[in-house]
């Protein structure tokens, strides 16, 4: 992938050289990396709070939405549409303003592997996203009390009979597909504006179609906070590592998406 395709969209561009004269316009200031990481923390915290809140009202006992959405499938559809819409709404403005909005450690690591995201930004982004996962789930617990615990803080779980290996394979494959789509669109500037809605649709599809099987996350930050607070850590290693492995596979296959 070319450095001009995605990198300029994911972090603020470098500051312009100093003006030659006093009458020249002042150069644009680059947003400090620490501040961008704070944005990432806040966005991930908000996402997890919304996810746990939605689960509390859709699946919690005695709520009106639980009566309107009595099946797990119907709840997954609503959750998928909700999270997909959030990802689309966050990614578009974040790309335009250079504030990232990855919301997913595997995305940050994958973009670095694709050489379109600076390596120095990966550790603070990953820390911010994982910390935001815990903070968002904990905030939902403070707001909703025992009701959040009754829905397991929206922690994902695989279908009966699914082991960690199967979860790993499916979650990794889902992330690989998403990152290959990012690579494809990112090397075609005219298509780059379609990236936010396309990724939003992909995230929604993962939740809806893989939710009954592997849990449907493809995002370490989606699972860490809920799993820790709910004590559902049995398959946690797979949920944390599989998306990163999928991003690595996508980075290896990305040259196939380039135009000749």
């Amino acid at each position: 992938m070319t450095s001009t395709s995605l990198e300029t969209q994911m972090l603020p561009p470098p500051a312009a050289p100093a003006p030659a004269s006093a009458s020249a316009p002042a150069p644009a200031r680059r947003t400090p990396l620490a501040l961008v990481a704070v944005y990432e923390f806040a966005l991930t915290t908000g996402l997890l709070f919304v996810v746990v809140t939605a689960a509390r009202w859709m699946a919690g006992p005695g709520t009106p939405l639980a009566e309107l959405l009595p099946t797990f499938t119907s709840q997954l559809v609503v959750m998928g549409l909700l999270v997909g819409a959030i990802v689309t709404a966050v990614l578009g403005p974040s790309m335009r303003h250079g504030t990232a909005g990855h919301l997913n450690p595997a995305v940050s690591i994958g973009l670095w592997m694709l050489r379109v995201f600076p390596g120095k930004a990966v550790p603070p982004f990953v820390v911010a996203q994982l910390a935001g996962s815990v903070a968002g789930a904990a905030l939902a617990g403070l707001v909703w009390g025992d009701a959040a615990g009754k829905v397991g803080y929206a922690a994902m779980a695989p279908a009966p009979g699914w082991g960690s290996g199967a979860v790993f394979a499916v979650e990794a494959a889902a992330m690989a597909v998403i990152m290959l789509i990012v690579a494809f669109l990112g090397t075609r500037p005219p298509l780059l504006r379609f990236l936010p809605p396309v990724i939003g649709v992909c995230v929604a599809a993962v939740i809806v179609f893989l939710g009954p099987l592997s849990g449907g996350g493809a995002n370490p930050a989606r699972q860490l906070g809920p799993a820790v607070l709910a004590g559902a850590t049995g398959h946690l290693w797979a949920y944390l590592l599989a998306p990163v492995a999928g991003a690595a596979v996508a980075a290896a296959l990305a040259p196939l998406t380039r135009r000749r």
Side-chain angles (χ1 to χ4, degrees):
M1 297 181 69
T2 60
S3 62
T4 57
S5 60
L6 282 177
E7 185 173 8
T8 56
Q9 305 293 334
M10 295 302 175
L11 271 185
S21 66
S23 60
R29 290 186 178 181
R30 183 179 182 182
T31 306
L33 175 58
L35 183 57
V36 181
V38 171
Y39 293 155
E40 197 71 14
F41 168 79
L43 291 171
T44 309
T45 298
L47 174 64
L48 266 293
F49 176 80
V50 170
V51 166
V52 178
T53 297
R56 176 257 184 274
W57 287 104
M58 287 192 301
T63 66
L65 284 179
E67 298 177 0
L68 293 174
L69 303 168
T71 66
F72 184 53
T73 299
S74 62
Q75 294 167 6
L76 281 178
V77 170
V78 173
M79 183 70 80
L81 293 175
L82 177 62
V83 175
I86 291 173
V87 169
T88 301
V90 166
L91 185 56
S94 296
M95 288 175 62
R96 290 193 296 271
H97 299 294
T99 52
H102 299 171
L103 303 174
N104 186 335
V107 170
S108 300
I109 295 172
L111 291 174
W112 167 65
M113 291 178 178
L114 291 170
R115 300 181 181 180
V116 295
F117 190 66
K120 67 179 182 180
V122 173
F125 265 55
V126 171
V127 171
Q129 290 151 353
L130 295 179
S133 172
V134 176
L139 179 60
L142 290 175
V143 172
W144 304 120
D146 292 341
K150 290 181 179 179
V151 296
Y153 290 90
M156 297 179 296
W162 277 59
S164 295
V167 171
F168 186 97
V170 172
E171 294 286 305
M175 191 70 240
V177 171
I178 291 175
M179 291 305 298
L180 283 173
I181 292 173
V182 170
F184 179 87
L185 297 179
T187 53
R188 292 159 176 81
L191 300 179
L192 193 58
R193 67 181 184 274
F194 299 112
L195 184 60
V198 169
I199 298 304
V201 170
C202 289
V203 170
V206 167
I207 294 172
V208 173
F209 294 108
L210 298 185
L213 302 175
S214 65
N219 182 350
R222 166 64 183 86
Q223 179 72 343
L224 178 63
V228 169
L229 292 178
T233 58
H235 304 284
L236 183 57
W237 72 268
Y239 287 113
L240 294 181
L241 298 181
V244 178
V249 170
L253 297 178
L256 300 177
T257 68
R258 296 173 182 168
R259 290 179 295 181
R260 295 184 181 276

